[in-house]
Amino acid sequence: MRLVKRVRPLEALKKSVGSWVVLATVAGCGGPKGPPPAPPPREINVVSLAPHEVRDTGEYLGSLLSRQSVTVMPQVAGYVRKILVHPGQKIEAGAALVEVDARVDTAALDSAQAQLSSTKVNLELARSTLARVEALRKEGLASAQELDAARAQVEASEAASRSSAAQVTQRQVQLQYNVVRAPFAGTVGDVLVRVGDFVSATSQLTSIAQADALEVSVSVPSTRARELKPDTAVEILDGQGKVLLTSTVFFVAPQADPRTQLVEVKAAFRNTVGLRPSELVRTRLVYSVRDALQIPALAVVRQSGQPFALIVQEKEGKTVVERRPITLGALGERAYVVQKGLKAGDFVAVSSMQALRDGMPVKVKAVSYDDVVSGGTQVIGSR
């Protein structure tokens, strides 16, 4: 027979409470603890504000034009016998491009030269006849009428000789047109004819463009065109916004396009970066340059649309952060123009922006404004 010992519930409860009292007493023997020590000040980067150059710019899509570009056409009609260039070839001024059949003009030149020889013979005969008539006149064997006729014959022969010489010169010049030459140095475009094609004075043979000197043409709003000056800077940019070439405005259209209300603006420059005529490029016009107080864009925090700057200053012997509302102007290259709320010489935080609170003590490290704007400074606590 198995005996089971029953424990009364009241006695078990008393034992449990007694155990907790003992534990509480042991835990309290250590005495009261003080508040935890304050964390060290956060180290942050700060910049000192000062006036910097601010540029009022506008960016547009520009078209490149060759300052010297021509469509080559022949001055004579005939069949193409030779093509002496190929598309994309760089040529010098006077280089032969296309040769047109010159057999007809050559025959005409031969005929003119033969006619010139005939007139020269007639002129010599007329002069000999005049000399004999003059000798006979002195002896009284020729009349005055015969002398006048001989003199008239000489003059007519001289005129015929001059006319024949002019015909020869004309034919020689005409024959030169059978070889089409480049009017200036440049690059040959597409050759539009083939050997054996018949061409006339209205046929397009090819084109020549000079890529060394280019113009950029942009269309700007008429309101902004009023701000342009003769020395307004024009910059050609690459795809990343880097300046490739710089020039100045030399032409502003006297009237706006009636449909678009845009004004054409042109600038010329030497092509040293391999651009091509008819290429579309990013173009920036610098309307004005001035000095103004600027703050890096990463130093601006916003709350409900209101921008703030975190100013670092000494207060009660500590370096603390103060949040100050500011009024911003235009956004430049990674920096805002400050219109109100800050002054030159203020120190603003540029790191740990989300962790900083108004009145929070900090440890500062001064960094260069240019390094911050250009991204060259490693921001402490930015991760």
Side-chain angles (χ1 to χ4, degrees), residues 137-151:
R137 177 61 179 168
K138 290 180 180 179
E139 297 177 0
L141 300 176
S143 63
Q145 184 178 1
E146 291 174 335
L147 179 60
D148 291 340
R151 289 174 177 172

Side-chain angles (χ1 to χ4, degrees), residues 188 195 247:
V188 179
V195 175
S247 183

Side-chain angles (χ1 to χ4, degrees), residues 43-232:
E43 184 177 359
I44 62 172
N45 291 341
V46 298
V47 297
S48 177
L49 299 185
H52 290 82
E53 183 181 275
V54 177
R55 305 196 308 169
D56 180 14
T57 64
E59 189 170 318
Y60 310 94
L61 186 64
S63 175
L64 297 180
L65 309 172
S66 174
R67 302 208 74 183
Q68 282 192 312
S69 178
V70 66
T71 299
V72 180
M73 294 184 290
Q75 293 181 267
V76 295
Y79 292 96
V80 177
R81 295 190 62 186
K82 293 181 181 179
I83 297 176
L84 306 173
V85 293
H86 57 81
Q89 179 179 343
K90 294 184 179 298
I91 56 173
E92 299 296 330
L97 306 176
V98 176
E99 183 179 328
V100 180
D101 188 4
R103 287 175 292 181
V104 174
D105 293 318
T106 301
L109 176 60
D110 293 340
S111 176
Q113 289 175 336
Q115 184 65 28
L116 176 60
S117 299
S118 176
T119 56
K120 288 182 176 180
V121 171
N122 292 335
L123 177 59
E124 291 298 326
L125 178 59
R127 287 174 176 172
S128 299
T129 302
L130 176 59
R132 287 195 299 269
V133 172
E134 287 177 343
L136 294 174
R137 177 61 179 168
K138 290 180 180 179
E139 297 177 0
L141 300 176
S143 63
Q145 184 178 1
E146 291 174 335
L147 179 60
D148 291 340
R151 289 174 177 172
Q153 185 62 37
V154 170
E155 292 178 357
S157 297
E158 289 176 346
S161 179
R162 289 195 298 270
S163 176
S164 297
Q167 289 291 329
V168 170
T169 302
Q170 180 182 0
R171 294 300 179 182
Q172 288 174 339
V173 173
Q174 190 75 12
L175 188 60
Q176 293 177 0
Y177 294 154
N178 290 84
V179 178
V180 182
R181 299 184 179 275
F184 51 81
T187 304
V188 179
D190 189 17
V191 179
L192 304 176
V193 294
R194 299 293 180 266
V195 175
D197 289 348
F198 182 83
V199 296
S200 63
T202 59
S203 302
Q204 296 184 6
L205 303 180
T206 183
S207 62
I208 298 176
Q210 197 174 69
D212 294 337
L214 296 180
E215 294 178 3
V216 59
S217 174
V218 297
S219 296
V220 303
S222 56
T223 53
R224 301 235 65 181
R226 303 188 192 107
E227 305 175 28
L228 294 174
K229 301 177 183 178
D231 58 347
T232 298

Side-chain angles (χ1 to χ4, degrees), residues 259-273:
R259 296 174 300 173
T260 63
Q261 290 300 296
L262 299 177
V263 178
E264 184 182 23
V265 178
K266 290 184 179 182
F269 58 90
R270 300 294 301 177
N271 182 19
T272 58
V273 294

